[in-house]
Amino acid sequence: MFYPRNSPVSVVITDQRLTIKYVNTGFEKATGYLSGDVHGKHLSILVFNPEHRDMMTRAVEHSLLGEPWQGQVKYQTKDGDTRVVDVVTSAIFNSGDQVTNFVAVSRDITYELELQSQLVNAQKLKALGRLSESIAHDFGNPLIGIRALLKDFDQRLELNQQDTHLLEIAVSECNRMQTLIGNFQHFYNSKRTFSTPCDINEVLNRLVFFMQKTLLTNNITTVIDHTPNLPPTKGRVDQLEQVFLNIILNAVDAMADQGGTLTIATYSEKDSICAAISDTGQGMDEQTMRQIFEPFYSTKPEVDGTGLGLSVSYGIISAHNGTITCRSTVSEGTTFKVFLPVEAHTV
Ligand SMILES: Nc1ncnc2c1ncn2[C@@H]1O[C@H](COP(=O)(O)OP(=O)(O)O)[C@@H](O)[C@H]1O
Ligand SMILES: [Mg+2]
């Protein structure tokens, strides 16, 4: 039989009982397993997780009918890397129409899939850029008017307790919308304001002051642990405010069910200053953590989450030559850290 020895695709050939008779160097390179590791073993040794078992059965069934089977399979290499391959399997029949071998040919498509998802993200961002410009203008201005009116009612009218409460809800909903519009604005126009030296403690204190009511109504205790006299960073204050607002609002959402503690610490580390914002909320599993910075990724019900907060924050912090990191444990809580270069080191 002819063996496709140096092919860039990986090839596995078995006999009719699914005993592995041949793997090419492409297979060895792709999986990290050598021919000697698998030769003479049953094909099920390549079943890397339970769902593959079903796939293999289907592949064999199809092949026996003389129809090739095609599918995408995710597997782990010997080194623990996760890869995705596009597999085609087929059976080889002898002149008496009996199956003599099965052949599986697979091509690594991990990189293609990554590119595809980056492209989809880029397209989403572009479309959003156009849309957001009009939303920011057409919704933002009336909203400022509505909020001013509500505040005016609050000050001028003698309202009973229930109506005061309703008015508070209306104002806080306006604030939520304003945050959202802020996120939209930062998508289409990141250079709206000037970069100035700024004191991160001051930015955070101002935010916490504005959010006092929201924090209290959600039974959240706030602990401020600032290092005094931090060196200034250089940045666009409104954008940095938006980042911390997004992170704190997420922390509030994560603790909304049973309250908790919000800790805001600042410190300097090498040439950076860091703001660490921790909550004692529901936390995240690994799968969620991997996606939180993607535009439109949200685990919240549609009315509450747009999935823009963290992707906008990521963009803003990158534009400030900083980094943003996240650590989280399910049921225990989450810490976001924002690192920004001290002023002398920013461009
Ligand atoms: N402090 C946090 N605790 C738990 N999950 C969080 C926290 N911050 C962010 N997340 C997760 O990240 C997702 C994306 O956040 P974000 O971009 O702000 O969008 P949104 O808040 O609109 O859902 C959230 O839906 C949530 O699943
Ligand atoms: Mg959010």
Side-chain angles (χ1 to χ4, degrees), residues 246 249-250 253 300 309-310:
N246 286 331
L249 280 177
N250 282 343
D253 285 340
K300 296 172 193 172
L310 288 180

Side-chain angles (χ1 to χ4, degrees), residues 250-251 253-254 279 282-284 288 292 297-300 304-311 334 336:
N250 282 343
D253 285 340
D279 66 64
Q282 63 194 36
M284 284 172 262
T288 306
I292 54 175
Y297 176 79
S298 176
T299 56
K300 296 172 193 172
D304 295 334
T306 57
L308 285 179
L310 288 180
S311 59
T334 304
F336 277 93

Side-chain angles (χ1 to χ4, degrees), residues 268-284:
S268 64
E269 193 178 281
K270 291 189 197 137
D271 293 338
S272 296
I273 47 167
C274 175
I277 299 171
S278 310
D279 66 64
T280 56
Q282 63 194 36
M284 284 172 262

Side-chain angles (χ1 to χ4, degrees), residues 26-66:
F27 171 91
E28 293 180 325
K29 273 194 205 133
T31 61
Y33 293 102
L34 296 176
S35 173
D37 296 334
V38 296
H39 191 268
K41 308 241 166 79
H42 191 265
L43 186 65
S44 58
I45 164 179
L46 299 181
V47 168
F48 294 99
N49 64 46
E51 72 197 61
H52 291 172
R53 202 173 297 279
D54 284 351
M55 277 191 184
M56 203 161 82
T57 316
R58 256 177 288 139
V60 170
E61 282 168 5
H62 270 261
S63 309
L64 284 175
L65 293 170

Side-chain angles (χ1 to χ4, degrees), residues 125 128-129 132 182-190 295 308 311-312:
L125 285 177
L128 185 70
S132 58
N183 280 335
F184 272 128
Q185 261 169 342
H186 288 300
F187 258 115
Y188 82 87
N189 189 357
S190 62
L308 285 179
S311 59
V312 164

